[in-house]
Amino acid sequence: TTYYWKIQCFDGWDYNFESVSRRFNIQLDTSPATVPGKPVVTSTNVIVYSGTGYTKDSWLQYSWSASTDPESGVAGYNVQVSTTASFSVSNAVFSVSVLGNVTYYTLTNIPLQNGVTYYTVVRALNGAGLYSDYSTASDPVVYDNTPATDVSVVYDGTQQGVDLSYWNNSTV
């Protein structure tokens, strides 16, 4: 749609100084950005199990595929962490807005509880202030701050108490 404005200037005695007519092309954005991709744990610094094994530290980094919005562009993302994959305001334990069209975020100082499973979702914000739907929830991440069992001695021999310091196999 094309809109037109006519601007007229008057002095204090209602004298018309100038009449100007200009054409402005304004594109209205009434649709949200596309839904971002499913968040994936790309780096971790907490004790977590994310389907491939356990690691330990104090932050989580997620990445996702970018949203697009041809009308007003992507202005940022909203990242939420929850204890259920179904997500609602009542079960979100952490929420943050990220400005710019970035495709990752590092969660730091998040209030994780031992033994609890967490999920993350992302939604995009376009330049018109409209949010997309939430992404598919990330794979579950289980926080575990239980210390590992202390192993005092490891033997690499075939008999208990026997430790091999050298092994040679000429058939290899």
Side-chain angles (χ1 to χ4, degrees), residues 71-133:
E71 292 85 21
S72 63
V74 174
Y77 293 91
N78 175 253
V79 180
Q80 289 195 6
V81 177
S82 176
T83 55
T84 66
S86 60
F87 280 88
S88 72
V89 174
S90 63
N91 62 26
V93 295
F94 185 82
S95 179
V96 64
S97 292
V98 183
L99 297 177
N101 195 9
V102 297
T103 57
Y104 69 93
Y105 186 73
T106 303
L107 301 168
T108 57
N109 300 318
I110 46 181
L112 301 178
Q113 294 178 3
N114 189 38
V116 176
T117 301
Y118 295 94
Y119 301 85
T120 300
V121 292
V122 179
R123 64 181 177 166
L125 174 67
N126 71 6
L130 302 172
Y131 279 102
S132 71
D133 289 335

Side-chain angles (χ1 to χ4, degrees), residues 36-166:
K38 174 182 172 179
V40 176
V41 175
T42 55
S43 183
T44 182
N45 203 15
V46 294
I47 301 172
V48 298
Y49 180 77
S50 60
T52 57
Y54 287 92
T55 57
K56 177 182 179 176
D57 279 318
S58 59
W59 48 268
L60 283 169
Q61 185 175 71
Y62 285 92
S63 66
W64 54 87
S65 59
S67 295
T68 59
D69 189 309
E71 292 85 21
S72 63
V74 174
Y77 293 91
N78 175 253
V79 180
Q80 289 195 6
V81 177
S82 176
T83 55
T84 66
S86 60
F87 280 88
S88 72
V89 174
S90 63
N91 62 26
V93 295
F94 185 82
S95 179
V96 64
S97 292
V98 183
L99 297 177
N101 195 9
V102 297
T103 57
Y104 69 93
Y105 186 73
T106 303
L107 301 168
T108 57
N109 300 318
I110 46 181
L112 301 178
Q113 294 178 3
N114 189 38
V116 176
T117 301
Y118 295 94
Y119 301 85
T120 300
V121 292
V122 179
R123 64 181 177 166
L125 174 67
N126 71 6
L130 302 172
Y131 279 102
S132 71
D133 289 335
Y134 283 105
S135 67
T136 302
S138 68
D139 290 337
V141 173
V142 180
Y143 180 66
D144 180 3
N145 66 358
T146 306
T149 305
D150 183 27
V151 178
S152 56
V153 179
V154 175
Y155 294 105
D156 60 0
T158 57
Q159 299 173 356
Q160 184 173 357
V162 176
D163 189 25
L164 295 177
S165 58
Y166 175 76

